[in-house]
Amino acid sequence: MPEKAPATDKIDSSYLETLMGYNATRASIKVIELFTKRMAVYDLRHVDFSILSIIMHNPGITSRQLCGVLSILPPNLVGKISLMEKRELVSRRPHPQDGRAVGLYLTETGAKLMADAERTATALEDDVTQKLSAAEKKTLMRLLQKIYL
C-alpha cells in the first residue's frame, strides 16, 4: 500500500517551476481562458481567430499556406473554412498568381468582425502583461519565438 502523504497547507511546485514547458503551459492556460471569454461575443475560438487574422493580413492566401503557417492539418482546416463561409466571414476566389489554386479572402463582414476582434485581443494582451515593462514584453515575445520559430 502506498505511504500516506502528510497533509500540508503549502504545496511544493518548485521543480515544475524550473521547467519551460510547465511555465509556458501555465501562462498559455491563463491567456487562452481570458481569450475564450472575450472572444465569445464574436463566436470565435483561438484557432478561428488565428485563421481569420492570417487571412486578413494575407488576402489571397491558399489553404496550403495557411495550414503551414498555423500547423493545422488540411482536413481540420476544410471544416473551419466551410463554417466561416457559412457565417459569411470568408470567401474563396481564384488565386491571383496561380490559376490552379484558390485564395482565401475576408468578406466585408469578416473584415469588420476581425477589426473588432483584433482590438479586443490587443486589449487582452495589455491586461495579461500589465506586470511587465515594455522592454520585458518585447524580450518575452522574442524569447518565446526563438523556441517555436
Side-chain angles (χ1 to χ4, degrees), residues 10-148:
K10 177 147 174 44
I11 305 299
D12 181 3
S13 60
S14 58
Y15 173 73
L16 290 175
E17 291 168 9
T18 68
L19 301 175
M20 186 63 61
Y22 177 80
N23 286 289
T25 299
R26 291 293 306 265
S28 178
I29 288 169
K30 174 102 175 161
V31 173
I32 289 172
E33 178 183 296
L34 292 170
F35 186 90
T36 300
K37 287 178 185 172
R38 295 196 191 176
M39 289 297 149
V41 297
Y42 307 109
D43 193 22
L44 293 177
R45 294 176 173 259
H46 68 277
V47 70
D48 302 325
F49 176 87
S50 297
I51 290 167
L52 290 170
S53 181
I54 293 292
I55 295 170
M56 183 168 127
H57 296 282
N58 302 275
I61 190 168
T62 65
S63 293
R64 173 183 260 180
Q65 291 172 310
L66 197 52
C67 286
V69 74
L70 294 176
S71 299
I72 298 173
L73 294 173
N76 295 338
L77 182 65
V78 169
K80 294 260 180 218
I81 296 297
S82 293
L83 288 173
M84 291 174 184
E85 281 183 305
K86 286 180 185 165
R87 287 182 63 190
E88 298 182 357
L89 302 175
V90 172
S91 67
R92 299 177 208 230
R93 293 188 242 150
H95 192 273
Q97 285 89 29
D98 183 352
R100 300 167 295 160
V102 174
L104 299 170
Y105 298 85
L106 290 188
T107 62
E108 191 174 318
T109 301
K112 163 110 179 59
L113 179 120
M114 280 310 292
D116 293 343
E118 283 191 350
R119 275 193 296 278
T120 299
T122 299
L124 174 135
E125 292 280 314
D126 290 342
D127 291 347
V128 298
T129 60
Q130 66 185 342
K131 294 177 183 175
L132 303 176
S133 70
E136 288 171 326
K137 288 180 199 180
K138 189 175 180 179
T139 299
L140 177 59
M141 193 73 70
R142 183 179 52 78
L143 294 173
L144 289 170
Q145 289 169 354
K146 281 179 113 173
I147 292 172
Y148 74 85

